[in-house]
Amino acid sequence: MGEHGEAMRERIKAHIRALNDIPGISGYEEGVIAYLHPRLAEVAGEVRVDRFGNLFATKRGSRPGLTLLLTAHSDEIGAVVKSVRTDGFLRFERSGGVVPSLLVGRKVLVRGDRQQAGAYAERAGTAARGAH
């Protein structure tokens, strides 16, 4: 890979890192859209956001031919904290297709006024009642 290719690879990595650091759970993707919009506007002829928050970028070719469609999700799975219990547990509502059985023991990052690292856990007996 030449110098141009290596520079492009580094730019792509930087964009992926930046996007990864933007909170964007389902229903709260505004930060991701705000990051992508001006960058897509640099290369696309038209960029718009619909009333549902979907971002569309269109680049028309200069010659007739095939059409290419690229799609991607701008959201990530996550949860919204609904309350903090006196014992330190958080009650939350899952968002974006979270599979509960895959959560136990997973590292989580709670974002708010400050960020706090933690791990997902369930109190004994709560899983059967559907608590989380």
Side-chain angles (χ1 to χ4, degrees), residues 101-117:
S101 62
L102 299 178
L103 290 175
V104 177
R106 296 282 181 161
K107 292 179 185 177
V108 296
L109 181 62
V110 179
R111 298 179 191 250
D113 293 339
R114 61 187 175 92
Q115 294 188 125
Q116 181 68 43

Side-chain angles (χ1 to χ4, degrees), residues 16 23 38 43 45 63 118 125:
I16 290 171
V43 295
R63 297 177 288 173

Side-chain angles (χ1 to χ4, degrees), residues 9-23:
R9 175 186 279 168
E10 290 306 312
R11 281 196 314 273
I12 291 169
K13 282 181 174 178
H15 284 302
I16 290 171
R17 282 188 207 104
L19 281 165
N20 188 58
D21 289 342
I22 300 169

Side-chain angles (χ1 to χ4, degrees), residues 32-129:
V32 176
I33 300 303
Y35 177 86
L36 290 172
H37 196 287
R39 286 155 183 86
L40 290 171
E42 292 175 8
V43 295
E46 176 190 352
V47 180
R48 67 182 179 85
V49 179
D50 71 9
R51 63 188 180 109
F52 300 108
N54 297 304
L55 176 67
F56 297 90
T58 304
K59 179 172 176 76
R60 305 218 183 270
S62 58
R63 297 177 288 173
L66 298 175
T67 299
L68 174 66
L69 171 68
L70 301 174
T71 66
H73 285 267
S74 61
D75 63 346
E76 61 186 337
I77 61 171
V80 177
V81 174
K82 295 298 183 180
S83 65
V84 180
R85 297 167 43 105
T86 57
D87 59 5
F89 279 78
L90 304 176
R91 295 191 66 76
F92 63 87
E93 182 177 305
R94 293 182 297 271
S95 177
V98 176
V99 179
S101 62
L102 299 178
L103 290 175
V104 177
R106 296 282 181 161
K107 292 179 185 177
V108 296
L109 181 62
V110 179
R111 298 179 191 250
D113 293 339
R114 61 187 175 92
Q115 294 188 125
Q116 181 68 43
Y120 179 87
E122 290 186 356
R123 288 186 9 189
T126 60
R129 293 196 312 264

